[in-house]
Amino acid sequence: MRSSNGTGAFSNGASASLPPATILDVVCQEVDATPVLDVHTHLFMPALGSLGLSGIDEILTYHYLEAEFFRVSKWHPEEYRKLSKSRRADEVWRHLFVNRAPLSEATRDVITILKAFDLPTNTADMREARAFFSQRDSTRHVQAVFDKAGVSEVVMTNDPLDPVETALWLDVPELDSRFHSALRLDRILSHWQEHCPLLRSQGYDVEEDGRGNTISELSRFFDHWHSRIRPVYMAVSLPDTFAYPEESLRAHLLTQAVLPACREFDIPLALMIGVRRQVNPRLQMAGDAVGRANLQSLEYLCREFPANRFLVTVLSRENQHELCAYARKFSNLMPFGCWWFVNQPSIVEEITRERLEMLGTSFIPQHSDARVLEQLIPKWREARRTLGPILAHAYARVAEEGRPITRREISSDVARLFRSNFSDFCRLAAPSATMPEPAGVELG
Ligand code: FIX
Ligand code: ZN
């Protein structure tokens, strides 16, 4: 249920202390009513055109589903990829939704999306869903999905060395206040030699060994993209083997160019640690896995670069508790989200409880990682369903100990978790008065 005034706060009795028996309902109301700033997605603003994915064929060929599909079908990945996108989607639907019940997190998310648009969830094929999504007006559809998901803004993942994306940015007339940018550094920090020629072709005097004018030229490259897309943070995913400090090109570029740029722009560096890329290359985007990282690298970065701020998410369940412990030691470290393989309710519950117990409300509980627009709906429905009871339990425990709890403080805590912990950490301006409120959140 959406709140009466869009800010998540209810007007009547907000400052009265709540009877303990009402705490769960009030928390769930505020969690449901508070619009989210989704801090990490692979969505793109409409002006970037073809990069934005939407509709049933993209939903069904999401790499999470393809990974599950290859477990139960006889299709070889190479043969499957020769099919058209809609044929692939039909095969995924048949194997994961018709031949068996969709019990996994990723398959259930598809059912949530279909239901959100009143589309049948137990049909033999996707004809009706395909027709429905194909006739949607794309501009109105974006806002409709944001409204249904209770999302006011998202952060994109923008790759300044992706030739397709950089070409599209040339035609972008203006930024969209619902879509913040994030400068993604994987190609620079993990595939530098491979991308040096591209940087040189753009007029940057950089060298494969990082010497010469490389650092100043890479800084100039960052300046260009910062003024072009106004990123709210810079980001990089890092393997479970990530080590820092170390004698490596990655460490050299990180120390000499990336961290200084983040300080100059006054934005955080997002570190996404623990991914083992392409353990099964045949699966392509579905071929990545997870490994436990040595977070002493993170300890060193937070301690030795106190003027930098680090948004951090870790992929291994075994690293989650250490991340909380480090967050207690370093206020320039902000844990965020339950990433990818730990974005499963059973693990999200564990992570969220330990974060609340160790950090209070000074963390960012979730991000969607959505790649297809409509995924915002199930990912935030599940995030709210999981967070509500855990948050309510924490309030009830402190009320039980004799500290009265009010709706007003629940409302402001939820706004903190869903938005201002991030916006403050990134020094984002408060939402402008003209920021379009999601239509689904009734304006008071
Ligand atoms: O590095 C990342 O941003 C990951 O989230 C992606 O590489 C991954 O494919 C994904 O979408 C996981 O949810
Ligand atoms: Zn991602």
Side-chain angles (χ1 to χ4, degrees), residues 58-86:
E58 297 297 350
I59 291 164
L60 285 170
T61 55
Y62 181 41
H63 67 79
Y64 287 33
L65 293 172
E66 290 184 329
E68 296 174 32
F69 168 75
F70 291 125
R71 290 185 51 73
V72 301
S73 82
K74 293 186 173 33
W75 282 96
H76 291 299
E78 296 75 15
E79 294 310 307
Y80 163 81
R81 250 180 283 287
K82 291 175 186 167
L83 299 173
S84 68
K85 174 85 76 167
S86 53

PDB file of all heavy atoms in Angstrom, residues 58-86:
ATOM      1  N   GLU A  58      13.455 -10.617 -23.193  1.00  0.00           N
ATOM      2  CA  GLU A  58      14.652 -10.264 -22.398  1.00  0.00           C
ATOM      3  C   GLU A  58      14.516 -10.839 -20.990  1.00  0.00           C
ATOM      4  O   GLU A  58      15.490 -11.316 -20.402  1.00  0.00           O
ATOM      5  CB  GLU A  58      14.812  -8.745 -22.337  1.00  0.00           C
ATOM      6  CG  GLU A  58      15.053  -8.049 -23.667  1.00  0.00           C
ATOM      7  CD  GLU A  58      16.360  -8.461 -24.340  1.00  0.00           C
ATOM      8  OE1 GLU A  58      17.184  -9.158 -23.677  1.00  0.00           O
ATOM      9  OE2 GLU A  58      16.560  -8.110 -25.512  1.00  0.00           O
ATOM     10  N   ILE A  59      13.296 -10.782 -20.445  1.00  0.00           N
ATOM     11  CA  ILE A  59      13.069 -11.315 -19.091  1.00  0.00           C
ATOM     12  C   ILE A  59      13.410 -12.806 -19.044  1.00  0.00           C
ATOM     13  O   ILE A  59      14.108 -13.267 -18.148  1.00  0.00           O
ATOM     14  CB  ILE A  59      11.603 -11.081 -18.669  1.00  0.00           C
ATOM     15  CG1 ILE A  59      11.338  -9.590 -18.443  1.00  0.00           C
ATOM     16  CG2 ILE A  59      11.258 -11.886 -17.409  1.00  0.00           C
ATOM     17  CD1 ILE A  59       9.857  -9.229 -18.395  1.00  0.00           C
ATOM     18  N   LEU A  60      12.971 -13.560 -20.045  1.00  0.00           N
ATOM     19  CA  LEU A  60      13.154 -15.015 -19.999  1.00  0.00           C
ATOM     20  C   LEU A  60      14.560 -15.455 -20.400  1.00  0.00           C
ATOM     21  O   LEU A  60      14.969 -16.571 -20.075  1.00  0.00           O
ATOM     22  CB  LEU A  60      12.104 -15.692 -20.891  1.00  0.00           C
ATOM     23  CG  LEU A  60      10.687 -15.721 -20.310  1.00  0.00           C
ATOM     24  CD1 LEU A  60       9.687 -16.190 -21.358  1.00  0.00           C
ATOM     25  CD2 LEU A  60      10.622 -16.601 -19.064  1.00  0.00           C
ATOM     26  N   THR A  61      15.296 -14.616 -21.110  1.00  0.00           N
ATOM     27  CA  THR A  61      16.673 -15.006 -21.490  1.00  0.00           C
ATOM     28  C   THR A  61      17.701 -14.325 -20.588  1.00  0.00           C
ATOM     29  O   THR A  61      18.868 -14.183 -20.953  1.00  0.00           O
ATOM     30  CB  THR A  61      16.959 -14.646 -22.967  1.00  0.00           C
ATOM     31  OG1 THR A  61      16.703 -13.254 -23.165  1.00  0.00           O
ATOM     32  CG2 THR A  61      16.083 -15.478 -23.900  1.00  0.00           C
ATOM     33  N   TYR A  62      17.280 -13.899 -19.391  1.00  0.00           N
ATOM     34  CA  TYR A  62      18.164 -13.354 -18.348  1.00  0.00           C
ATOM     35  C   TYR A  62      19.165 -14.438 -17.968  1.00  0.00           C
ATOM     36  O   TYR A  62      18.794 -15.608 -17.845  1.00  0.00           O
ATOM     37  CB  TYR A  62      17.308 -12.968 -17.161  1.00  0.00           C
ATOM     38  CG  TYR A  62      17.987 -12.350 -15.964  1.00  0.00           C
ATOM     39  CD1 TYR A  62      19.000 -11.409 -16.080  1.00  0.00           C
ATOM     40  CD2 TYR A  62      17.563 -12.687 -14.670  1.00  0.00           C
ATOM     41  CE1 TYR A  62      19.585 -10.822 -14.967  1.00  0.00           C
ATOM     42  CE2 TYR A  62      18.136 -12.096 -13.543  1.00  0.00           C
ATOM     43  CZ  TYR A  62      19.150 -11.165 -13.703  1.00  0.00           C
ATOM     44  OH  TYR A  62      19.709 -10.578 -12.591  1.00  0.00           O
ATOM     45  N   HIS A  63      20.427 -14.080 -17.716  1.00  0.00           N
ATOM     46  CA  HIS A  63      21.425 -15.134 -17.552  1.00  0.00           C
ATOM     47  C   HIS A  63      21.205 -15.976 -16.310  1.00  0.00           C
ATOM     48  O   HIS A  63      21.615 -17.150 -16.264  1.00  0.00           O
ATOM     49  CB  HIS A  63      22.850 -14.561 -17.608  1.00  0.00           C
ATOM     50  CG  HIS A  63      23.262 -13.666 -16.488  1.00  0.00           C
ATOM     51  ND1 HIS A  63      23.660 -14.151 -15.257  1.00  0.00           N
ATOM     52  CD2 HIS A  63      23.370 -12.327 -16.405  1.00  0.00           C
ATOM     53  CE1 HIS A  63      24.003 -13.148 -14.476  1.00  0.00           C
ATOM     54  NE2 HIS A  63      23.837 -12.023 -15.142  1.00  0.00           N
ATOM     55  N   TYR A  64      20.505 -15.412 -15.316  1.00  0.00           N
ATOM     56  CA  TYR A  64      20.176 -16.262 -14.153  1.00  0.00           C
ATOM     57  C   TYR A  64      19.310 -17.449 -14.607  1.00  0.00           C
ATOM     58  O   TYR A  64      19.471 -18.577 -14.154  1.00  0.00           O
ATOM     59  CB  TYR A  64      19.375 -15.473 -13.107  1.00  0.00           C
ATOM     60  CG  TYR A  64      20.090 -14.449 -12.277  1.00  0.00           C
ATOM     61  CD1 TYR A  64      21.156 -13.704 -12.776  1.00  0.00           C
ATOM     62  CD2 TYR A  64      19.680 -14.190 -10.968  1.00  0.00           C
ATOM     63  CE1 TYR A  64      21.780 -12.741 -11.990  1.00  0.00           C
ATOM     64  CE2 TYR A  64      20.293 -13.228 -10.181  1.00  0.00           C
ATOM     65  CZ  TYR A  64      21.340 -12.512 -10.689  1.00  0.00           C
ATOM     66  OH  TYR A  64      21.953 -11.553  -9.912  1.00  0.00           O
ATOM     67  N   LEU A  65      18.351 -17.172 -15.491  1.00  0.00           N
ATOM     68  CA  LEU A  65      17.433 -18.234 -15.959  1.00  0.00           C
ATOM     69  C   LEU A  65      18.140 -19.186 -16.919  1.00  0.00           C
ATOM     70  O   LEU A  65      17.933 -20.399 -16.884  1.00  0.00           O
ATOM     71  CB  LEU A  65      16.207 -17.608 -16.626  1.00  0.00           C
ATOM     72  CG  LEU A  65      15.282 -16.836 -15.691  1.00  0.00           C
ATOM     73  CD1 LEU A  65      14.215 -16.084 -16.485  1.00  0.00           C
ATOM     74  CD2 LEU A  65      14.600 -17.775 -14.692  1.00  0.00           C
ATOM     75  N   GLU A  66      19.010 -18.632 -17.756  1.00  0.00           N
ATOM     76  CA  GLU A  66      19.739 -19.491 -18.696  1.00  0.00           C
ATOM     77  C   GLU A  66      20.603 -20.501 -17.949  1.00  0.00           C
ATOM     78  O   GLU A  66      20.701 -21.672 -18.338  1.00  0.00           O
ATOM     79  CB  GLU A  66      20.580 -18.643 -19.651  1.00  0.00           C
ATOM     80  CG  GLU A  66      19.725 -17.854 -20.642  1.00  0.00           C
ATOM     81  CD  GLU A  66      20.549 -17.080 -21.653  1.00  0.00           C
ATOM     82  OE1 GLU A  66      21.682 -16.643 -21.322  1.00  0.00           O
ATOM     83  OE2 GLU A  66      20.068 -16.912 -22.787  1.00  0.00           O
ATOM     84  N   ALA A  67      21.204 -20.066 -16.818  1.00  0.00           N
ATOM     85  CA  ALA A  67      22.030 -20.998 -16.035  1.00  0.00           C
ATOM     86  C   ALA A  67      21.169 -22.176 -15.561  1.00  0.00           C
ATOM     87  O   ALA A  67      21.582 -23.339 -15.629  1.00  0.00           O
ATOM     88  CB  ALA A  67      22.645 -20.272 -14.847  1.00  0.00           C
ATOM     89  N   GLU A  68      19.943 -21.864 -15.124  1.00  0.00           N
ATOM     90  CA  GLU A  68      19.047 -22.931 -14.637  1.00  0.00           C
ATOM     91  C   GLU A  68      18.524 -23.779 -15.798  1.00  0.00           C
ATOM     92  O   GLU A  68      18.356 -24.997 -15.673  1.00  0.00           O
ATOM     93  CB  GLU A  68      17.896 -22.306 -13.854  1.00  0.00           C
ATOM     94  CG  GLU A  68      18.346 -21.590 -12.586  1.00  0.00           C
ATOM     95  CD  GLU A  68      17.223 -20.842 -11.877  1.00  0.00           C
ATOM     96  OE1 GLU A  68      16.070 -21.290 -11.935  1.00  0.00           O
ATOM     97  OE2 GLU A  68      17.504 -19.807 -11.261  1.00  0.00           O
ATOM     98  N   PHE A  69      18.323 -23.114 -16.939  1.00  0.00           N
ATOM     99  CA  PHE A  69      17.820 -23.799 -18.150  1.00  0.00           C
ATOM    100  C   PHE A  69      18.815 -24.868 -18.610  1.00  0.00           C
ATOM    101  O   PHE A  69      18.436 -26.011 -18.891  1.00  0.00           O
ATOM    102  CB  PHE A  69      17.588 -22.760 -19.245  1.00  0.00           C
ATOM    103  CG  PHE A  69      17.357 -23.306 -20.620  1.00  0.00           C
ATOM    104  CD1 PHE A  69      16.141 -23.895 -20.957  1.00  0.00           C
ATOM    105  CD2 PHE A  69      18.360 -23.250 -21.577  1.00  0.00           C
ATOM    106  CE1 PHE A  69      15.922 -24.406 -22.239  1.00  0.00           C
ATOM    107  CE2 PHE A  69      18.154 -23.759 -22.862  1.00  0.00           C
ATOM    108  CZ  PHE A  69      16.933 -24.338 -23.194  1.00  0.00           C
ATOM    109  N   PHE A  70      20.111 -24.521 -18.647  1.00  0.00           N
ATOM    110  CA  PHE A  70      21.102 -25.474 -19.141  1.00  0.00           C
ATOM    111  C   PHE A  70      21.239 -26.687 -18.211  1.00  0.00           C
ATOM    112  O   PHE A  70      21.752 -27.722 -18.589  1.00  0.00           O
ATOM    113  CB  PHE A  70      22.460 -24.788 -19.361  1.00  0.00           C
ATOM    114  CG  PHE A  70      22.488 -23.818 -20.507  1.00  0.00           C
ATOM    115  CD1 PHE A  70      22.894 -22.511 -20.321  1.00  0.00           C
ATOM    116  CD2 PHE A  70      22.035 -24.208 -21.770  1.00  0.00           C
ATOM    117  CE1 PHE A  70      22.891 -21.604 -21.379  1.00  0.00           C
ATOM    118  CE2 PHE A  70      22.035 -23.311 -22.833  1.00  0.00           C
ATOM    119  CZ  PHE A  70      22.454 -22.012 -22.633  1.00  0.00           C
ATOM    120  N   ARG A  71      20.768 -26.567 -16.977  1.00  0.00           N
ATOM    121  CA  ARG A  71      20.824 -27.718 -16.066  1.00  0.00           C
ATOM    122  C   ARG A  71      19.759 -28.755 -16.391  1.00  0.00           C
ATOM    123  O   ARG A  71      19.916 -29.927 -16.073  1.00  0.00           O
ATOM    124  CB  ARG A  71      20.635 -27.249 -14.616  1.00  0.00           C
ATOM    125  CG  ARG A  71      21.787 -26.470 -14.040  1.00  0.00           C
ATOM    126  CD  ARG A  71      21.555 -26.150 -12.580  1.00  0.00           C
ATOM    127  NE  ARG A  71      21.199 -27.343 -11.798  1.00  0.00           N
ATOM    128  CZ  ARG A  71      22.048 -28.295 -11.469  1.00  0.00           C
ATOM    129  NH1 ARG A  71      23.307 -28.230 -11.890  1.00  0.00           N
ATOM    130  NH2 ARG A  71      21.666 -29.337 -10.756  1.00  0.00           N
ATOM    131  N   VAL A  72      18.654 -28.280 -16.971  1.00  0.00           N
ATOM    132  CA  VAL A  72      17.512 -29.212 -17.111  1.00  0.00           C
ATOM    133  C   VAL A  72      17.151 -29.490 -18.561  1.00  0.00           C
ATOM    134  O   VAL A  72      16.299 -30.325 -18.840  1.00  0.00           O
ATOM    135  CB  VAL A  72      16.269 -28.651 -16.371  1.00  0.00           C
ATOM    136  CG1 VAL A  72      16.566 -28.455 -14.896  1.00  0.00           C
ATOM    137  CG2 VAL A  72      15.781 -27.350 -17.000  1.00  0.00           C
ATOM    138  N   SER A  73      17.790 -28.769 -19.505  1.00  0.00           N
ATOM    139  CA  SER A  73      17.426 -29.030 -20.918  1.00  0.00           C
ATOM    140  C   SER A  73      18.556 -29.778 -21.593  1.00  0.00           C
ATOM    141  O   SER A  73      19.673 -29.834 -21.088  1.00  0.00           O
ATOM    142  CB  SER A  73      17.200 -27.710 -21.644  1.00  0.00           C
ATOM    143  OG  SER A  73      18.454 -27.185 -22.054  1.00  0.00           O
ATOM    144  N   LYS A  74      18.264 -30.300 -22.779  1.00  0.00           N
ATOM    145  CA  LYS A  74      19.302 -31.027 -23.529  1.00  0.00           C
ATOM    146  C   LYS A  74      20.047 -30.093 -24.473  1.00  0.00           C
ATOM    147  O   LYS A  74      20.947 -30.501 -25.203  1.00  0.00           O
ATOM    148  CB  LYS A  74      18.670 -32.170 -24.309  1.00  0.00           C
ATOM    149  CG  LYS A  74      18.101 -33.286 -23.401  1.00  0.00           C
ATOM    150  CD  LYS A  74      17.601 -34.480 -24.158  1.00  0.00           C
ATOM    151  CE  LYS A  74      17.204 -35.659 -23.236  1.00  0.00           C
ATOM    152  NZ  LYS A  74      16.641 -35.202 -21.927  1.00  0.00           N
ATOM    153  N   TRP A  75      19.664 -28.820 -24.480  1.00  0.00           N
ATOM    154  CA  TRP A  75      20.292 -27.870 -25.385  1.00  0.00           C
ATOM    155  C   TRP A  75      21.752 -27.647 -24.999  1.00  0.00           C
ATOM    156  O   TRP A  75      22.075 -27.363 -23.846  1.00  0.00           O
ATOM    157  CB  TRP A  75      19.562 -26.539 -25.337  1.00  0.00           C
ATOM    158  CG  TRP A  75      18.290 -26.511 -26.115  1.00  0.00           C
ATOM    159  CD1 TRP A  75      17.033 -26.724 -25.632  1.00  0.00           C
ATOM    160  CD2 TRP A  75      18.149 -26.273 -27.505  1.00  0.00           C
ATOM    161  NE1 TRP A  75      16.109 -26.626 -26.632  1.00  0.00           N
ATOM    162  CE2 TRP A  75      16.765 -26.355 -27.811  1.00  0.00           C
ATOM    163  CE3 TRP A  75      19.049 -26.006 -28.555  1.00  0.00           C
ATOM    164  CZ2 TRP A  75      16.269 -26.153 -29.093  1.00  0.00           C
ATOM    165  CZ3 TRP A  75      18.542 -25.805 -29.827  1.00  0.00           C
ATOM    166  CH2 TRP A  75      17.177 -25.886 -30.090  1.00  0.00           C
ATOM    167  N   HIS A  76      22.653 -27.715 -26.019  1.00  0.00           N
ATOM    168  CA  HIS A  76      24.038 -27.250 -25.837  1.00  0.00           C
ATOM    169  C   HIS A  76      24.017 -25.745 -25.977  1.00  0.00           C
ATOM    170  O   HIS A  76      23.329 -25.212 -26.870  1.00  0.00           O
ATOM    171  CB  HIS A  76      24.944 -27.872 -26.898  1.00  0.00           C
ATOM    172  CG  HIS A  76      25.141 -29.348 -26.711  1.00  0.00           C
ATOM    173  ND1 HIS A  76      25.717 -29.874 -25.579  1.00  0.00           N
ATOM    174  CD2 HIS A  76      24.812 -30.402 -27.503  1.00  0.00           C
ATOM    175  CE1 HIS A  76      25.739 -31.198 -25.662  1.00  0.00           C
ATOM    176  NE2 HIS A  76      25.192 -31.550 -26.827  1.00  0.00           N
ATOM    177  N   PRO A  77      24.756 -25.011 -25.159  1.00  0.00           N
ATOM    178  CA  PRO A  77      24.752 -23.540 -25.234  1.00  0.00           C
ATOM    179  C   PRO A  77      24.997 -23.024 -26.644  1.00  0.00           C
ATOM    180  O   PRO A  77      24.343 -22.074 -27.090  1.00  0.00           O
ATOM    181  CB  PRO A  77      25.874 -23.142 -24.284  1.00  0.00           C
ATOM    182  CG  PRO A  77      25.970 -24.274 -23.297  1.00  0.00           C
ATOM    183  CD  PRO A  77      25.630 -25.510 -24.082  1.00  0.00           C
ATOM    184  N   GLU A  78      25.912 -23.682 -27.363  1.00  0.00           N
ATOM    185  CA  GLU A  78      26.263 -23.179 -28.697  1.00  0.00           C
ATOM    186  C   GLU A  78      25.064 -23.300 -29.642  1.00  0.00           C
ATOM    187  O   GLU A  78      24.800 -22.399 -30.444  1.00  0.00           O
ATOM    188  CB  GLU A  78      27.449 -23.970 -29.267  1.00  0.00           C
ATOM    189  CG  GLU A  78      28.759 -23.837 -28.482  1.00  0.00           C
ATOM    190  CD  GLU A  78      28.739 -24.634 -27.173  1.00  0.00           C
ATOM    191  OE1 GLU A  78      27.841 -25.505 -27.001  1.00  0.00           O
ATOM    192  OE2 GLU A  78      29.601 -24.350 -26.311  1.00  0.00           O
ATOM    193  N   GLU A  79      24.312 -24.396 -29.523  1.00  0.00           N
ATOM    194  CA  GLU A  79      23.128 -24.589 -30.382  1.00  0.00           C
ATOM    195  C   GLU A  79      22.019 -23.639 -29.950  1.00  0.00           C
ATOM    196  O   GLU A  79      21.353 -23.010 -30.778  1.00  0.00           O
ATOM    197  CB  GLU A  79      22.643 -26.042 -30.289  1.00  0.00           C
ATOM    198  CG  GLU A  79      23.630 -27.053 -30.873  1.00  0.00           C
ATOM    199  CD  GLU A  79      24.074 -26.643 -32.268  1.00  0.00           C
ATOM    200  OE1 GLU A  79      23.194 -26.393 -33.131  1.00  0.00           O
ATOM    201  OE2 GLU A  79      25.307 -26.478 -32.488  1.00  0.00           O
ATOM    202  N   TYR A  80      21.847 -23.516 -28.647  1.00  0.00           N
ATOM    203  CA  TYR A  80      20.792 -22.634 -28.091  1.00  0.00           C
ATOM    204  C   TYR A  80      20.997 -21.199 -28.596  1.00  0.00           C
ATOM    205  O   TYR A  80      20.037 -20.526 -28.995  1.00  0.00           O
ATOM    206  CB  TYR A  80      20.878 -22.700 -26.561  1.00  0.00           C
ATOM    207  CG  TYR A  80      20.171 -21.605 -25.801  1.00  0.00           C
ATOM    208  CD1 TYR A  80      18.794 -21.666 -25.574  1.00  0.00           C
ATOM    209  CD2 TYR A  80      20.872 -20.495 -25.292  1.00  0.00           C
ATOM    210  CE1 TYR A  80      18.145 -20.670 -24.845  1.00  0.00           C
ATOM    211  CE2 TYR A  80      20.229 -19.505 -24.580  1.00  0.00           C
ATOM    212  CZ  TYR A  80      18.870 -19.592 -24.357  1.00  0.00           C
ATOM    213  OH  TYR A  80      18.234 -18.604 -23.648  1.00  0.00           O
ATOM    214  N   ARG A  81      22.243 -20.761 -28.649  1.00  0.00           N
ATOM    215  CA  ARG A  81      22.485 -19.364 -29.050  1.00  0.00           C
ATOM    216  C   ARG A  81      22.233 -19.117 -30.533  1.00  0.00           C
ATOM    217  O   ARG A  81      22.146 -17.981 -30.973  1.00  0.00           O
ATOM    218  CB  ARG A  81      23.927 -18.971 -28.670  1.00  0.00           C
ATOM    219  CG  ARG A  81      23.939 -17.961 -27.523  1.00  0.00           C
ATOM    220  CD  ARG A  81      25.327 -17.566 -27.136  1.00  0.00           C
ATOM    221  NE  ARG A  81      25.971 -18.600 -26.333  1.00  0.00           N
ATOM    222  CZ  ARG A  81      25.670 -18.867 -25.074  1.00  0.00           C
ATOM    223  NH1 ARG A  81      24.721 -18.199 -24.476  1.00  0.00           N
ATOM    224  NH2 ARG A  81      26.279 -19.819 -24.426  1.00  0.00           N
ATOM    225  N   LYS A  82      22.077 -20.189 -31.313  1.00  0.00           N
ATOM    226  CA  LYS A  82      21.748 -19.992 -32.742  1.00  0.00           C
ATOM    227  C   LYS A  82      20.257 -19.689 -32.918  1.00  0.00           C
ATOM    228  O   LYS A  82      19.837 -19.223 -33.975  1.00  0.00           O
ATOM    229  CB  LYS A  82      22.107 -21.246 -33.545  1.00  0.00           C
ATOM    230  CG  LYS A  82      23.612 -21.494 -33.654  1.00  0.00           C
ATOM    231  CD  LYS A  82      23.901 -22.807 -34.349  1.00  0.00           C
ATOM    232  CE  LYS A  82      25.398 -23.136 -34.342  1.00  0.00           C
ATOM    233  NZ  LYS A  82      25.654 -24.546 -34.738  1.00  0.00           N
ATOM    234  N   LEU A  83      19.478 -19.940 -31.869  1.00  0.00           N
ATOM    235  CA  LEU A  83      18.029 -19.688 -31.973  1.00  0.00           C
ATOM    236  C   LEU A  83      17.752 -18.192 -31.908  1.00  0.00           C
ATOM    237  O   LEU A  83      18.551 -17.429 -31.355  1.00  0.00           O
ATOM    238  CB  LEU A  83      17.295 -20.376 -30.819  1.00  0.00           C
ATOM    239  CG  LEU A  83      17.409 -21.904 -30.701  1.00  0.00           C
ATOM    240  CD1 LEU A  83      16.753 -22.381 -29.406  1.00  0.00           C
ATOM    241  CD2 LEU A  83      16.787 -22.569 -31.922  1.00  0.00           C
ATOM    242  N   SER A  84      16.595 -17.777 -32.382  1.00  0.00           N
ATOM    243  CA  SER A  84      16.200 -16.362 -32.213  1.00  0.00           C
ATOM    244  C   SER A  84      15.937 -16.114 -30.729  1.00  0.00           C
ATOM    245  O   SER A  84      15.721 -17.059 -29.953  1.00  0.00           O
ATOM    246  CB  SER A  84      14.906 -16.117 -32.999  1.00  0.00           C
ATOM    247  OG  SER A  84      13.843 -16.837 -32.379  1.00  0.00           O
ATOM    248  N   LYS A  85      15.930 -14.851 -30.338  1.00  0.00           N
ATOM    249  CA  LYS A  85      15.694 -14.486 -28.931  1.00  0.00           C
ATOM    250  C   LYS A  85      14.333 -15.020 -28.475  1.00  0.00           C
ATOM    251  O   LYS A  85      14.218 -15.589 -27.390  1.00  0.00           O
ATOM    252  CB  LYS A  85      15.772 -12.965 -28.784  1.00  0.00           C
ATOM    253  CG  LYS A  85      15.409 -12.385 -27.432  1.00  0.00           C
ATOM    254  CD  LYS A  85      16.558 -12.383 -26.456  1.00  0.00           C
ATOM    255  CE  LYS A  85      17.563 -11.318 -26.699  1.00  0.00           C
ATOM    256  NZ  LYS A  85      18.506 -11.141 -25.557  1.00  0.00           N
ATOM    257  N   SER A  86      13.331 -14.913 -29.316  1.00  0.00           N
ATOM    258  CA  SER A  86      11.989 -15.360 -28.873  1.00  0.00           C
ATOM    259  C   SER A  86      11.933 -16.875 -28.787  1.00  0.00           C
ATOM    260  O   SER A  86      11.279 -17.429 -27.898  1.00  0.00           O
ATOM    261  CB  SER A  86      10.906 -14.835 -29.812  1.00  0.00           C
ATOM    262  OG  SER A  86      11.210 -15.176 -31.129  1.00  0.00           O
TER     263      SER A  86
END
